[in-house]
Amino acid sequence: MIAEDLFDLAPVIPVVVLDDADAAVPLARALVEGGLPVIEVTLRTPSALAAITRIAAEVPDAVVGAGTVVRPEDAERSAAAGAKFLVSPGCTSRLQAAMVATGLPFLPGVATASEAIALLEGGITAMKFFPAEAAGGAAYLKALGGPLPQIRFCPTGGIGLRNAAEYLALGNVGCVGGSWLTPADAVREGDWGRVRKLASEAAALRTG
């Protein structure tokens, strides 16, 4: 699998923060049942790597990845835990080398044209655009499509059901990422039916 393949699996990648690894498997199953098989578990909690391992082992239909990869060791540990892809909010040469070394597909984060061009020089054409709304939103991404038509993005940050379709309508957007699919209270209470419903709504966001 290459990074661009992630864009074809679903229109939305849920960005998940898990404080309890025990919630990982039922949460992943609810998202997959709702039509969203690609799941980004952020490395923001001590439970993240264990959650990735459990999803990878117990939810075969899920494509689980690690997000908030900010250090070379994050990439290494995520790969060892069973992550199928990596996502970073930004990128440095050291971090890029570490992600490449894992052999996993990855979406390095950019917020400017210069950052995107720097990655393009290394042959990378699939990127995360973050923080999407704060960095200029859909209008900014549309503008980037002119001079950089070979790049496709997964915008993340400030995106929800209300504005996801605006991004997905752009020719240089492969999918969007968002945390609205796994509300903290729903995860805490184990309301997997609510998560499944939110995933189903998001999975229906298809471009023509």
Side-chain angles (χ1 to χ4, degrees), residues 43-63:
L43 302 183
R44 300 180 191 176
T45 69
S47 300
L49 290 174
I52 289 170
T53 297
R54 293 182 67 167
I55 294 171
E58 300 180 46
V59 191
D61 291 333
V63 179

Side-chain angles (χ1 to χ4, degrees), residues 168-187:
L168 290 168
L170 299 177
N172 60 345
V173 169
C175 66
V176 301
S179 58
W180 85 90
L181 302 144
T182 54
D185 59 335
V187 176

Side-chain angles (χ1 to χ4, degrees), residues 178-203:
S179 58
W180 85 90
L181 302 144
T182 54
D185 59 335
V187 176
R188 186 173 56 249
E189 296 163 11
D191 189 352
W192 310 127
R194 181 180 171 196
V195 172
R196 191 179 302 107
K197 181 176 183 294
L198 290 169
S200 181
E201 292 173 348

Side-chain angles (χ1 to χ4, degrees), residues 3-102:
E4 283 82 353
D5 293 336
L6 295 169
F7 296 151
D8 299 326
L9 296 177
V12 181
I13 297 179
V15 178
V16 179
V17 179
L18 280 169
D19 293 306
D20 182 3
D22 287 339
V25 169
L27 174 67
R29 285 177 177 154
L31 290 169
V32 170
E33 289 165 4
L36 300 180
V38 185
I39 302 167
E40 176 189 333
V41 177
T42 64
L43 302 183
R44 300 180 191 176
T45 69
S47 300
L49 290 174
I52 289 170
T53 297
R54 293 182 67 167
I55 294 171
E58 300 180 46
V59 191
D61 291 333
V63 179
V64 62
T68 320
V69 174
V70 296
R71 302 171 299 174
E73 55 265 38
D74 290 339
E76 298 158 6
R77 291 170 182 167
S78 297
K84 300 295 189 295
F85 65 94
L86 306 170
V87 183
S88 66
C91 199
T92 65
S93 57
R94 284 187 66 233
L95 182 58
Q96 180 180 339
M99 290 192 289
V100 169
T102 67

Side-chain angles (χ1 to χ4, degrees), residues 120-145:
L120 187 61
E121 286 178 348
I124 296 171
T125 56
M127 306 175 193
K128 172 178 178 172
F129 177 58
F130 177 84
E133 284 288 280
Y140 186 89
L141 273 181
K142 183 178 181 180
L144 284 182

